[in-house]
Amino acid sequence: MRHGKKFNHLSRKKGHRVALMKNMSNALVKHKRINTTLAKAKALRVFLEPLITKAKKNTTHSRRTVFGYLQDKSSIEELFGPIAEKVAARPGGYLRIIKTGFRKGDAAETALIEFVDYNDVYSNEGKQGSSGRRRRRRGGGNKNAAAVKGKNEEE
Protein backbone atom coordinates (compact mmCIF):
# COMPACT_ATOMS: atom_id res chain seq x y z
CA MET A 1 0.00 0.00 0.00
CA ARG A 2 1.22 3.50 -0.66
CA HIS A 3 -0.06 5.30 2.44
CA GLY A 4 1.74 8.62 2.76
CA LYS A 5 3.98 8.06 -0.26
CA LYS A 6 3.88 11.60 -1.62
CA PHE A 7 6.99 11.52 -3.84
CA ASN A 8 9.15 9.05 -5.72
CA HIS A 9 11.73 7.49 -3.43
CA LEU A 10 13.84 6.38 -6.44
CA SER A 11 14.77 3.08 -4.73
CA ARG A 12 17.21 4.91 -2.45
CA LYS A 13 17.44 5.66 1.23
CA LYS A 14 16.97 9.24 2.36
CA GLY A 15 20.63 10.25 2.55
CA HIS A 16 21.40 8.87 -0.90
CA ARG A 17 18.29 10.50 -2.37
CA VAL A 18 19.10 13.91 -0.87
CA ALA A 19 22.70 13.69 -2.14
CA LEU A 20 21.44 12.72 -5.59
CA MET A 21 19.03 15.67 -5.76
CA LYS A 22 21.72 18.06 -4.49
CA ASN A 23 24.27 16.90 -7.08
CA MET A 24 21.77 16.92 -9.95
CA SER A 25 20.52 20.40 -8.94
CA ASN A 26 24.05 21.78 -8.88
CA ALA A 27 24.78 20.22 -12.28
CA LEU A 28 21.57 21.65 -13.76
CA VAL A 29 22.26 25.13 -12.40
CA LYS A 30 25.81 24.98 -13.76
CA HIS A 31 25.10 23.50 -17.21
CA LYS A 32 21.45 24.67 -17.74
CA ARG A 33 20.45 21.22 -19.10
CA ILE A 34 21.29 17.63 -18.20
CA ASN A 35 20.39 14.14 -19.43
CA THR A 36 19.05 11.67 -16.87
CA THR A 37 16.27 9.14 -16.42
CA LEU A 38 12.68 10.31 -16.58
CA ALA A 39 11.95 9.40 -12.94
CA LYS A 40 14.98 11.35 -11.69
CA ALA A 41 14.08 14.34 -13.90
CA LYS A 42 10.55 14.46 -12.49
CA ALA A 43 11.88 14.20 -8.93
CA LEU A 44 14.45 16.91 -9.65
CA ARG A 45 11.77 19.27 -10.94
CA VAL A 46 9.79 18.87 -7.70
CA PHE A 47 12.99 19.47 -5.69
CA LEU A 48 14.42 22.45 -7.60
CA GLU A 49 11.44 24.57 -8.68
CA PRO A 50 10.62 25.81 -5.14
CA LEU A 51 14.29 26.77 -4.73
CA ILE A 52 14.17 28.80 -7.95
CA THR A 53 11.05 30.55 -6.65
CA LYS A 54 12.96 31.43 -3.46
CA ALA A 55 15.87 32.69 -5.56
CA LYS A 56 13.61 35.30 -7.18
CA LYS A 57 13.52 37.09 -3.82
CA ASN A 58 17.14 37.92 -3.13
CA THR A 59 17.22 38.19 0.66
CA THR A 60 19.70 36.83 3.17
CA HIS A 61 17.09 34.43 4.51
CA SER A 62 16.26 32.99 1.07
CA ARG A 63 19.96 32.65 0.23
CA ARG A 64 20.61 30.73 3.46
CA THR A 65 17.54 28.55 2.92
CA VAL A 66 18.58 27.61 -0.63
CA PHE A 67 22.20 27.11 0.47
CA GLY A 68 20.93 24.59 3.02
CA TYR A 69 19.64 22.49 0.13
CA LEU A 70 22.39 22.95 -2.48
CA GLN A 71 25.52 23.65 -0.36
CA ASP A 72 27.52 25.04 -3.27
CA LYS A 73 28.47 28.73 -3.35
CA SER A 74 28.94 28.91 -7.12
CA SER A 75 25.48 27.40 -7.69
CA ILE A 76 23.95 29.92 -5.29
CA GLU A 77 25.63 32.83 -7.11
CA GLU A 78 24.40 31.51 -10.46
CA LEU A 79 20.89 30.83 -9.16
CA PHE A 80 20.45 34.21 -7.49
CA GLY A 81 22.17 36.09 -10.32
CA PRO A 82 21.52 35.32 -14.02
CA ILE A 83 18.89 32.61 -13.49
CA ALA A 84 16.78 34.73 -11.12
CA GLU A 85 16.90 37.65 -13.58
CA LYS A 86 15.70 35.48 -16.47
CA VAL A 87 12.82 33.88 -14.57
CA ALA A 88 11.73 37.01 -12.69
CA ALA A 89 8.55 37.52 -14.75
CA ARG A 90 7.66 33.81 -14.93
CA PRO A 91 5.07 32.68 -12.33
CA GLY A 92 6.36 29.10 -12.25
CA GLY A 93 7.28 26.23 -14.53
CA TYR A 94 10.97 27.03 -14.75
CA LEU A 95 12.07 23.58 -15.92
CA ARG A 96 11.16 21.59 -19.02
CA ILE A 97 11.40 17.80 -19.32
CA ILE A 98 11.79 16.33 -22.81
CA LYS A 99 11.65 12.56 -23.22
CA THR A 100 14.61 11.26 -25.24
CA GLY A 101 13.87 7.57 -25.64
CA PHE A 102 15.26 4.52 -23.88
CA ARG A 103 18.76 3.75 -22.63
CA LYS A 104 20.45 0.89 -24.45
CA GLY A 105 21.81 -1.01 -21.44
CA ASP A 106 18.76 -1.33 -19.20
CA ALA A 107 15.98 0.21 -21.34
CA ALA A 108 15.39 2.94 -18.77
CA GLU A 109 13.36 5.84 -20.12
CA THR A 110 15.67 8.85 -20.44
CA ALA A 111 14.89 12.54 -20.49
CA LEU A 112 16.53 15.92 -20.92
CA ILE A 113 15.72 18.45 -18.22
CA GLU A 114 16.49 22.10 -18.89
CA PHE A 115 15.67 25.64 -17.88
CA VAL A 116 12.84 26.97 -20.03
CA ASP A 117 14.34 30.45 -20.43
CA TYR A 118 17.76 29.17 -21.54
CA ASN A 119 16.61 27.32 -24.67
CA ASP A 120 16.69 29.59 -27.73
CA VAL A 121 14.96 27.03 -29.96
CA TYR A 122 11.62 27.30 -28.14
CA SER A 123 11.70 31.00 -27.23
CA ASN A 124 10.01 33.72 -29.29
CA GLU A 125 13.08 35.95 -29.04
CA GLY A 126 14.88 34.12 -31.85
CA LYS A 127 12.00 34.42 -34.34
CA GLN A 128 11.72 37.44 -36.60
CA GLY A 129 8.40 38.95 -37.61
CA SER A 130 6.61 37.37 -34.69
CA SER A 131 3.88 39.54 -33.20
CA GLY A 132 4.16 37.79 -29.83
CA ARG A 133 0.75 36.11 -29.96
CA ARG A 134 -0.18 32.69 -31.20
CA ARG A 135 -2.57 32.24 -34.07
CA ARG A 136 -4.88 29.28 -34.14
CA ARG A 137 -7.27 28.19 -36.79
CA ARG A 138 -10.83 27.81 -35.61
CA GLY A 139 -13.36 25.59 -37.31
CA GLY A 140 -14.37 28.32 -39.82
CA GLY A 141 -11.69 27.56 -42.39
CA ASN A 142 -12.69 28.37 -45.99
CA LYS A 143 -16.24 29.73 -46.26
CA ASN A 144 -16.26 29.58 -50.08
CA ALA A 145 -15.63 25.84 -50.03
CA ALA A 146 -18.61 25.34 -47.72
CA ALA A 147 -20.84 27.42 -50.05
CA VAL A 148 -19.73 25.39 -53.09
CA LYS A 149 -20.31 22.17 -51.15
CA GLY A 150 -23.87 23.30 -50.29
CA LYS A 151 -24.62 24.09 -53.96
CA ASN A 152 -23.30 20.70 -55.07
CA GLU A 153 -25.56 18.91 -52.60
CA GLU A 154 -28.65 20.77 -53.89
CA GLU A 155 -28.05 19.66 -57.50
Side-chain angles (χ1 to χ4, degrees):
M1 285 184 260
R2 52 184 312 272
H3 295 307
K5 184 176 185 257
K6 301 290 184 192
F7 59 92
N8 192 345
H9 295 278
L10 300 172
S11 300
R12 287 163 171 81
K13 294 193 175 179
K14 184 180 183 204
H16 189 185
R17 194 170 52 247
V18 168
L20 174 76
M21 290 296 114
K22 187 182 300 184
N23 289 330
M24 288 178 62
S25 298
N26 288 330
L28 184 62
V29 168
K30 181 180 177 184
H31 300 291
K32 308 301 184 271
R33 72 177 52 131
I34 56 173
N35 287 308
T36 183
T37 63
L38 183 63
K40 288 178 189 173
K42 288 179 177 180
L44 180 63
R45 180 173 56 188
V46 170
F47 180 83
L48 190 57
E49 284 203 351
L51 301 182
I52 299 168
T53 302
K54 285 188 190 307
K56 287 166 57 172
K57 193 160 75 169
N58 192 0
T59 62
T60 304
H61 177 67
S62 62
R63 277 182 175 266
R64 287 178 177 169
T65 304
V66 173
F67 184 79
Y69 285 95
L70 299 183
Q71 295 180 351
D72 184 23
K73 287 184 181 179
S74 62
S75 293
I76 298 298
E77 290 172 7
E78 184 75 19
L79 193 61
F80 280 84
I83 293 175
E85 290 171 11
K86 279 210 172 193
V87 302
R90 185 177 288 277
Y94 313 108
L95 301 175
R96 175 186 296 127
I97 296 175
I98 301 169
K99 294 180 183 179
T100 57
F102 296 91
R103 196 161 51 198
K104 188 175 180 182
D106 59 354
E109 195 169 2
T110 59
L112 176 115
I113 183 167
E114 65 182 2
F115 281 97
V116 172
D117 295 315
Y118 278 89
N119 191 336
D120 296 333
V121 176
Y122 291 116
S123 68
N124 289 334
E125 297 168 4
K127 297 177 184 174
Q128 293 179 352
S130 176
S131 63
R133 66 175 210 205
R134 298 170 83 183
R135 307 196 82 189
R136 293 190 178 109
R137 183 181 293 177
R138 303 257 169 129
N142 190 350
K143 293 181 182 177
N144 293 335
V148 170
K149 185 178 178 185
K151 287 182 183 177
N152 290 339
E153 290 175 358
E154 290 174 4
E155 294 175 357

